[in-house]
Amino acid sequence: MKLQPDRSNVPTVTGVGPGWVAVNGERIEHSLIFASDGQRIPWPVRSFDELSASHFEALSALAVEVVIFGSGSRIRFPRPAWIAALAQRRIGVETMDTAAACRTYNILAHEGRSVAAALLVEPAA
């Protein structure tokens, strides 16, 4: 039984591959943050090793329930200090590889959830 309708007016990940993701058909070859309410924030990071707490602070300003963190080609968890600002605002963080994060974001966004995706897009090898 379905209790709420799917939302069709949310940004949607329409493709993902090594070194890129596509949002609403636009191919993007850099890391990015976007939310189900249409917000898009640049995320100037090229690798997991470059990440710091400051990269996650931008996420704490979003009015979302949960952030889906795509950690690149494989799953790598953020340090607790990096996501402390999110925890203080009671914003959940789920970590998975970027391809899985894209799929999960799409499901939650189309269910009408207030969600953001923080996608680490590593340069193709």
Side-chain angles (χ1 to χ4, degrees):
M1 173 186 326
K2 189 174 209 157
L3 300 178
Q4 64 189 75
D6 287 343
R7 290 181 51 198
S8 61
N9 60 341
V10 297
T12 301
V13 179
T14 53
V16 62
W20 63 276
V21 296
V23 178
N24 292 341
E26 175 190 353
R27 186 177 168 122
I28 301 165
E29 296 181 355
H30 56 80
S31 299
L32 72 152
I33 299 167
F34 61 97
S36 57
D37 66 2
Q39 294 182 75
R40 189 185 269 190
I41 301 169
W43 212 28
V45 61
R46 294 176 43 90
S47 72
F48 187 84
D49 293 332
E50 291 180 7
L51 286 169
S52 68
S54 65
H55 290 104
F56 287 86
E57 286 173 9
L59 297 166
S60 68
L62 297 172
V64 296
E65 300 169 26
V66 65
V67 170
I68 308 299
F69 169 51
S71 62
S73 60
R74 62 186 176 90
I75 190 167
R76 293 166 285 190
F77 293 93
R79 294 186 178 109
W82 295 355
I83 59 174
L86 293 163
Q88 289 174 349
R89 297 216 43 225
R90 299 194 182 277
I91 297 172
V93 179
E94 294 294 333
T95 302
M96 52 200 74
D97 66 63
T98 295
C102 290
R103 294 186 300 270
T104 302
Y105 164 84
N106 280 350
I107 291 167
L108 295 175
H110 285 277
E111 286 179 348
R113 300 281 305 273
S114 178
V115 61
L119 304 177
L120 179 59
V121 178
E122 300 167 310

